[in-house]
Amino acid sequence: MHEETRRDGEATDGEAADSETGELPEAVVDGAARLTRLARDAVDENEAAAYRGRRAEMLADHDFTSRIREEDETLVLHPAEWMDDGVVRVERIEDTGRAYEIPLTGADVDGDWDAVEEHNAELVDAVEAEDGATHAANARIFADFMGNHYLRRADAASRDEIQEFLTEYYPRNAWPSKKQETVVRESVERVFEAADADVPEF
């Protein structure tokens, strides 16, 4: 169960997208959340606009769009067909469960998203420098999973979170090469080694 990615106020079960129901792939939801945070934190407006543009293109590929609900700082992803001239038309909404709600702020033991992402990016760079591109690619996927789903540092992952990553998120959303897939468990260990942290038994 992922607390950060919600549909209609409820946590999703992390299942892969079903093209018949119009549900978004989990990786797209994660990407939209990440680009939104980057846009909100960008100092340069052109940079922020570029992030928003990438988010719009990613969602448009699935006939979805987004808006920010400012009152509780929540990113809402919903089918583009609900919109008319930039306004959500209630009469067009047949199934509210198709919408996704992603809180952009909130209390967390690891601090704000920028700090978590900066730390995780440093770990990915360290893995690449020490162990090469294949392990670094897996480390980046693991870092995105921990940062976007749990707003936590990758090296703070629990046994259950690692298991969720390996058994649910990675097979369904990562699209790894065969080489990456073969070494992913070792790649996770390399992340902890890069942080000089103990590796949970998994």
Side-chain angles (χ1 to χ4, degrees):
M1 301 289 285
H2 306 312
E3 293 182 357
E4 184 168 353
T5 303
R6 295 186 175 92
R7 265 183 306 216
D8 196 28
E10 296 295 329
T12 70
D13 58 9
E15 292 181 354
D18 182 343
S19 60
E20 294 183 357
T21 63
E23 294 178 358
L24 290 174
E26 197 167 340
V28 172
V29 178
D30 286 349
R34 184 178 183 188
L35 289 169
T36 300
R37 291 188 177 104
L38 289 171
R40 285 163 64 88
D41 294 336
V43 176
D44 181 76
E45 177 54 32
N46 290 329
E47 181 183 2
Y51 289 133
R52 291 193 293 267
R54 286 168 57 191
R55 180 187 65 199
E57 291 175 2
M58 178 190 304
L59 293 171
D61 287 342
H62 299 271
D63 296 322
F64 264 66
T65 189
S66 65
R67 68 182 181 89
I68 304 295
R69 193 169 61 213
E70 296 293 350
E71 57 265 30
D72 59 358
E73 296 189 80
T74 296
L75 171 66
V76 181
L77 312 178
H78 59 80
E81 66 195 45
W82 293 0
M83 300 288 290
D84 181 23
D85 196 24
V87 178
V88 174
R89 298 299 183 185
V90 176
E91 66 272 15
R92 296 186 178 185
I93 302 174
E94 295 181 357
D95 180 9
T96 57
R98 294 180 66 196
Y100 294 71
E101 297 186 356
I102 304 98
L104 298 173
T105 60
D108 188 270
V109 295
D110 288 334
D112 63 31
W113 185 83
D114 283 337
V116 171
E117 171 57 21
E118 181 179 359
H119 176 84
N120 286 344
E122 290 175 355
L123 291 180
V124 173
D125 290 343
V127 170
E128 183 170 21
E130 185 68 26
D131 304 302
T134 299
H135 283 301
N138 282 335
R140 180 68 263 178
I141 297 167
F142 182 52
D144 285 344
F145 168 75
M146 288 300 299
N148 289 326
H149 279 288
Y150 293 108
L151 197 61
R152 286 168 58 80
R153 299 182 177 197
D155 56 301
S158 68
R159 177 183 180 277
D160 288 345
E161 288 163 349
I162 295 173
Q163 289 286 10
E164 180 186 351
F165 170 73
L166 293 173
T167 62
E168 297 182 25
Y169 184 89
Y170 190 83
R172 295 171 176 169
N173 299 287
W175 300 96
S177 67
K178 188 62 177 179
K179 187 176 181 181
Q180 282 178 250
E181 189 175 3
T182 301
V183 300
V184 62
R185 297 179 70 88
E186 184 180 352
S187 299
V188 171
E189 293 178 353
R190 299 296 176 89
V191 170
F192 284 86
E193 291 171 3
D196 195 25
D198 294 332
V199 184
E201 294 185 6
F202 62 90

